[in-house]
Amino acid sequence: MKTLARMELKPGMVLSEDVTDYSGKMLCSEGDVLSENDIRVLERHNIIAVSIKEDIDLASTHFEKVMLSPDFQKFRKAYEENMPAYRRIIDAAVYEKKPVDVLALMKIYSQLVRCASTGERMLDFLYNMMPGEEDVTYAHTLNSAIIAGVFSKWLDITQNDTFIFIVCGFLYDIGKLLIPPEILNKPGKLTEEEFDVVKSHAKLGQVLLDGMHGIDPVVARVALEHHERMDGSGYPSHLKGDEIDRFARYISIVDAYEAMTRVRVYRMPLNPFQVIANFEKDGTGRYDMTVLTPIMKHVASTQLGFEVVLSNGMNGTIILLNEKKLSRPLIKNTHDEIVDLMVRTDLEIQSIY
Amino acid sequence: MLRFSEKIYTYGIEDPKAEIGLLSAGKYSAHIYIVCLEEKTGFVTLINTVFLRMNRNADMDYTVIGLASGYHFGLKLIRRMTADCLAATGSASVKEHIPELCGGVR
């Protein structure tokens, strides 16, 4: 909301407060979209200034509001400015076999995270970033490192663990850069042979990082194990439970979360409740629940109080989470009725405002 | 400021002398961990040497008693030190028995 002098008003602006004349007679109401006639009426009544909604208030969804915010613009600028440097560091390691400059990576990380006041805000920012096609693999790992930093705070892990978690985020998928792009970016379904090539990125990453100067051996292990799953359904070694390194278990969640919340050319990212629903559907048994549960609780609780549109077009506000099924909270609709999504399984949260 | 004990435990470090030289010169590497006594707090702790660059650590004094390449080796090093401490003194409290384990400060 901002106050504008009458002279600055333009048709199409939206009032954020009622406007009355000096006798108290209503001239225009809050939410009115100003027409040229309205502006003439205000002039006739000698109204000096009015409050109007800024662009940010006009944005419809929560994420559109984020996109229009100045701190997101700052983040996007920093992200785009740092991307070439990030690519150079990673490319030097992959194609010239030079050691990864971890300290330079951490500098990039610090420059980006300082743009957001909270971890939740940072996730909102990432949700709105759409990297260029040639940057997709790099953006995936850069985003993963940032998400790892946010999750570290939520998991309340030590400084040492946080550091490793973030470095793993930067490097766990480095082997993908050694996979031919025509296979990696193939639009249709992969053949069995092609899928085997894609799966080899885990081993390729480990070979690249193992013994590299300045790289903690655990990072190479995480590159190898980040597609292993707790129930043994992962690859390459079908490890189970504690056989998988703790950081690889963390990173597998970050990897899935990043993939689901990334903007794609062909689809919008999933909203937080759709992400949670996916984890609830496929994640139990596959991911480390001691890690996944607190993260999902945090993601869900940050959505409390937001307005939503349900799949039947109904508007409402998220008022309470269902501990047993975080993806299906209680909604209060515009008629003050409570809709329990645990019961109304036919409904879904379509968008968040 | 870093000081080093006479005997330094190591794990996964190829050339401990060279590594001590680098650390003394303020050249820290992201995979090198130190097990050290924090003089201010009296805690024995495992720190990635990258954190020594942080402003909040700038005025801290550390006596280094162990060096490890990588976090997991750092944890293994602490386990080994604790086991040695228990065998030598009957107590697992490393911080109280640093002189017996590592001698004095260089």
Side-chain angles (χ1 to χ4, degrees):
Chain A
M1 184 181 90
K2 65 180 173 186
T3 305
L4 280 188
R6 190 191 65 231
M7 312 294 284
E8 296 176 275
L9 296 177
K10 290 187 177 70
M13 288 180 169
V14 181
L15 291 172
S16 61
E17 280 175 9
D18 295 342
V19 183
T20 55
D21 69 7
Y22 294 109
S23 65
K25 184 185 159 200
M26 180 83 85
L27 301 176
C28 299
S29 318
E30 180 196 348
D32 280 357
V33 180
L34 289 176
S35 63
E36 283 190 49
N37 191 43
D38 291 327
I39 296 171
R40 276 197 296 273
V41 169
L42 296 174
E43 193 180 352
R44 247 193 339 265
H45 285 84
N46 219 7
I47 302 296
I48 297 164
V50 296
S51 296
I52 63 137
K53 288 187 178 181
E54 291 182 83
D55 288 349
I56 191 165
D57 296 326
L58 297 173
S60 52
T61 67
H62 169 66
F63 294 102
E64 283 167 351
K65 285 176 193 165
V66 170
M67 266 184 114
L68 290 168
S69 67
D71 47 353
F72 174 70
Q73 304 298 339
K74 201 173 133 198
F75 171 76
R76 178 148 67 185
K77 192 164 171 268
Y79 192 96
E80 285 166 358
E81 280 173 2
N82 277 295
M83 183 53 90
Y86 178 59
R87 284 188 63 141
R88 274 198 300 277
I89 296 168
I90 300 296
D91 285 348
V94 176
Y95 304 116
E96 297 164 34
K97 306 283 178 261
K98 286 186 180 166
V100 174
D101 186 346
V102 174
L103 298 182
L105 290 181
M106 292 309 288
K107 206 171 161 191
I108 291 174
Y109 171 84
S110 309
Q111 279 175 8
L112 295 177
V113 295
R114 75 165 71 112
C115 296
S117 50
T118 63
E120 293 81 3
R121 188 79 175 152
M122 179 49 74
L123 295 186
D124 282 349
F125 286 176
L126 292 179
Y127 204 83
N128 284 286
M129 286 303 300
M130 193 163 171
E133 211 172 291
E134 71 284 3
D135 285 336
V136 165
T137 306
Y138 300 90
H140 171 54
T141 49
L142 179 56
N143 294 358
S144 296
I146 296 170
I147 293 169
V150 174
F151 286 0
S152 297
K153 281 190 190 134
W154 293 355
L155 293 168
D156 201 17
I157 60 179
T158 66
Q159 194 182 33
N160 281 330
D161 285 1
T162 301
F163 179 75
I164 294 173
F165 194 10
I166 293 168
V167 175
C168 288
F170 276 123
L171 299 174
Y172 74 97
D173 242 357
I174 198 166
K176 271 205 180 140
L177 293 168
L178 293 165
I179 303 293
E182 57 273 20
I183 296 181
L184 206 57
N185 304 324
K186 186 181 165 184
K189 203 179 168 200
L190 297 177
T191 64
E192 207 171 304
E193 291 79 21
E194 286 168 337
F195 191 48
D196 283 342
V197 174
V198 171
K199 286 201 284 191
S200 71
H201 80 276
K203 182 71 188 163
L204 290 170
Q206 186 237 355
V207 170
L208 187 75
L209 295 169
D210 201 21
M212 185 181 272
H213 180 75
I215 298 296
D216 195 313
V218 73
V219 181
R221 187 171 166 193
V222 168
L224 179 67
E225 295 179 2
H226 72 274
H227 279 290
E228 300 288 358
R229 295 293 178 258
M230 297 294 278
D231 57 2
S233 64
Y235 66 83
S237 305
H238 306 288
L239 301 178
K240 279 184 183 177
D242 287 349
E243 293 169 350
I244 308 165
D245 187 88
R246 181 165 61 100
F247 292 103
R249 285 182 264 147
Y250 288 1
I251 282 292
S252 63
I253 295 169
V254 171
D255 186 37
Y257 183 89
E258 203 285 330
M260 284 189 262
T261 56
R262 195 186 334 144
V263 185
R264 307 288 179 102
V265 177
Y266 52 88
R267 69 147 170 82
M268 285 303 287
L270 302 184
N271 72 47
F273 287 102
Q274 289 167 324
V275 171
I276 296 168
N278 273 0
F279 274 121
E280 284 171 344
K281 190 173 150 219
D282 299 326
T284 314
R286 302 184 75 220
Y287 297 98
D288 184 342
M289 295 313 285
T290 62
V291 181
L292 184 59
T293 306
I295 289 172
M296 291 304 104
K297 273 188 182 168
H298 212 107
V299 170
S301 64
T302 56
Q303 305 301 313
L304 274 173
F306 277 113
E307 287 178 31
V308 295
V309 175
L310 300 177
S311 48
N312 62 354
M314 187 193 286
N315 286 300
T317 308
I318 302 168
I319 54 162
L320 197 66
L321 298 176
N322 275 311
E323 286 282 322
K324 284 183 186 164
K325 209 155 177 83
L326 290 165
S327 63
R328 307 202 69 80
L330 266 72
I331 311 287
K332 187 159 95 174
N333 70 16
T334 43
H335 306 294
D336 277 350
E337 295 159 346
I338 305 295
V339 180
D340 185 351
L341 294 184
M342 273 278 264
V343 180
R344 292 293 307 272
T345 50
D346 56 316
L347 295 177
E348 272 187 19
I349 293 174
Q350 209 154 55
S351 48
I352 300 171
Y353 280 62
Chain B
M1 191 184 123
L2 288 185
R3 291 183 299 175
F4 296 86
S5 61
E6 278 172 9
K7 181 193 165 193
I8 292 188
Y9 276 76
T10 63
Y11 211 128
I13 302 279
E14 280 177 21
D15 187 349
K17 262 190 188 167
E19 205 56 63
I20 289 171
L22 288 171
L23 291 174
S24 304
K27 291 178 180 167
Y28 307 129
S29 181
H31 70 301
I32 300 294
Y33 284 76
I34 54 172
V35 180
C36 58
L37 175 71
E38 251 180 37
E39 300 290 353
K40 215 181 227 177
T41 59
F43 290 135
V44 169
T45 182
L46 176 70
I47 305 179
N48 186 307
T49 51
V50 164
F51 298 141
L52 299 175
R53 287 167 175 257
M54 289 178 167
N55 288 341
R56 65 169 177 225
N57 291 328
D59 60 341
M60 296 287 268
D61 289 327
Y62 299 103
T63 302
V64 179
I65 55 174
L67 281 176
S69 170
Y71 182 60
H72 285 351
F73 282 169
L75 296 178
K76 283 182 180 171
L77 189 62
I78 290 176
R79 244 174 261 150
R80 197 165 78 195
M81 292 170 87
T82 311
D84 282 0
C85 184
L86 189 64
T89 68
S91 156
S93 175
V94 172
K95 74 174 180 183
E96 282 167 23
H97 299 284
I98 288 173
E100 292 97 308
L101 289 174
C102 304
V105 176
R106 291 181 192 191

